[in-house]
Amino acid sequence: MPAVSTTVKYTRVGRGSLLANAFGGADVGVLFPATVQLYTNSVTLTETITQANFVDLQDSIPYTAGTITPASWIVTTSGDIAVAKHPSIRVSITTDRTTLNANANVRGYYILGSDSTTVLWAGSFPSPFVVNKTPNGQIVDLFIPLEIQWRAP
Amino acid sequence: MPLLAPNVGENKLLEFALGKATPGNQTLKLFVNNITPGATDVAGTYTEMSTLGYAAKTLTTSSWTVTNVSGSATAAYAQQSWTFTAGTSVTIYGYFVIDSTTGVLLWAERFSAPIAVDAGGDALRLTPSFTLTSA
């Protein structure tokens, strides 16, 4: 049951939605509830990345996406930085030889907003997490910690 | 002087952003004590103007508009203005914004130069905006 660290990139629309939510603006957009999806392709994370840029693990093996619960964020101050941490998101993967042709490399995660299509932010793992084809029916739980930092200029 | 979100404001804004708390309206106030905003400030750090017909402004949440450009997002609000009445001269050093519901200081900014109000009819115009950048 591994926990993985990530390098995070916010998308342009994700950043705007977070700011709009902070101010209660009219254009909050598609924020929460948000889900945590896993991707398997080697893709460079940019602020204009979209769902179409990711090859989802779902394409090769079924898994249960994680859910971000807004009430679960814990915000603290570290120096002059506000840090929000969410309890690690659990993503369950069940190996299935009938759908998995080879071992799958999970390279990171992406957060989909409430419309299930807009990418808010994404994170890449330092090295791929390998889901082995065998043994059949093995359940792998991946725990992804989420952390957001805000710092005043 | 650059806008500064103190520690309490950063935390509150981040809670709002992530849906942990729900933002209410904000209150925009002018301060008349000669200070420079700092990271450990709270609302009580600032002395609000109280004379010359001054009144704080309410910023309604739904009236903020957010625009996204490469590298940043900016929340902007319509220009606010005060027209002062005659009375004893007052020097305004900047403004601060609090969450109207909790009273928490969200951010403050000292003007590049203090503004002396010494005649009835003097006016001050201010356009609130807040920019978020990410790496």
Side-chain angles (χ1 to χ4, degrees):
Chain A
M1 294 189 292
V4 290
S5 60
T6 57
T7 300
V8 171
K9 186 72 177 181
Y10 298 93
T11 64
R12 194 174 298 180
V13 66
R15 185 175 50 227
S17 292
L18 287 169
L19 184 61
N21 213 35
F23 284 79
D27 42 7
V28 168
V30 289
L31 206 52
F32 299 112
T35 57
V36 182
Q37 310 278 144
L38 302 177
Y39 68 89
T40 58
N41 56 324
S42 182
V43 62
T44 300
L45 303 181
T46 69
E47 70 168 33
T48 56
I49 203 162
T50 67
Q51 186 179 21
N53 297 120
F54 294 105
V55 175
D56 199 284
L57 177 64
Q58 202 76 246
D59 293 351
S60 54
I61 183 170
Y63 71 95
T64 304
T67 302
I68 294 177
T69 307
S72 296
W73 288 101
I74 296 174
V75 179
T76 58
T77 299
S78 177
D80 288 339
I81 301 174
V83 179
K85 293 184 178 181
H86 191 286
S88 293
I89 301 289
R90 176 181 176 180
V91 181
S92 293
I93 308 164
T94 303
T95 57
D96 182 348
R97 258 183 279 188
T98 61
T99 58
L100 189 60
N101 294 322
N103 293 345
N105 292 318
V106 180
R107 298 182 185 278
Y109 70 89
Y110 58 105
I111 307 293
L112 287 181
S114 57
D115 64 349
S116 299
T117 58
T118 302
V119 179
L120 301 175
W121 74 88
S124 61
F125 300 153
S127 57
F129 174 75
V130 181
V131 179
N132 292 311
K133 179 180 175 183
T134 56
N136 190 36
Q138 182 187 30
I139 297 175
V140 179
D141 285 334
L142 197 58
F143 289 88
I144 303 172
L146 298 178
E147 179 174 314
I148 291 179
Q149 298 185 356
W150 278 24
R151 181 178 60 193
Chain B
M1 300 290 289
L3 177 156
L4 184 103
N7 295 342
V8 291
E10 280 181 334
N11 282 18
K12 185 57 71 178
L13 287 167
L14 190 49
E15 286 183 355
F16 290 155
L18 295 171
K20 183 174 177 70
T22 302
N25 293 336
Q26 300 92 17
T27 307
L28 170 64
K29 301 167 179 273
L30 302 176
F31 66 84
V32 294
N33 51 332
N34 185 8
I35 60 169
T36 298
T40 57
D41 288 356
V42 295
T45 306
Y46 298 86
T47 302
E48 184 181 4
M49 186 176 183
S50 60
T51 59
L52 307 183
Y54 161 85
K57 302 283 189 184
T58 296
L59 306 178
T60 307
T61 52
S62 59
S63 297
W64 286 94
T65 57
V66 174
T67 54
N68 298 315
V69 296
S70 177
S72 68
T74 297
Y77 202 92
Q79 184 184 76
Q80 302 296 297
S81 66
W82 290 265
T83 301
F84 301 107
T85 57
T88 304
S89 177
V90 171
T91 300
I92 303 167
Y93 290 92
Y95 72 92
F96 63 111
V97 175
I98 65 169
D99 175 58
S100 302
T101 303
T102 62
V104 170
L105 175 66
L106 298 177
W107 74 91
E109 184 171 14
R110 181 182 168 101
F111 296 145
S112 55
I115 297 170
V117 179
D118 51 16
D122 280 359
L124 189 154
R125 296 181 181 82
L126 193 155
T127 303
S129 71
F130 192 100
T131 296
L132 178 66
T133 61
S134 61

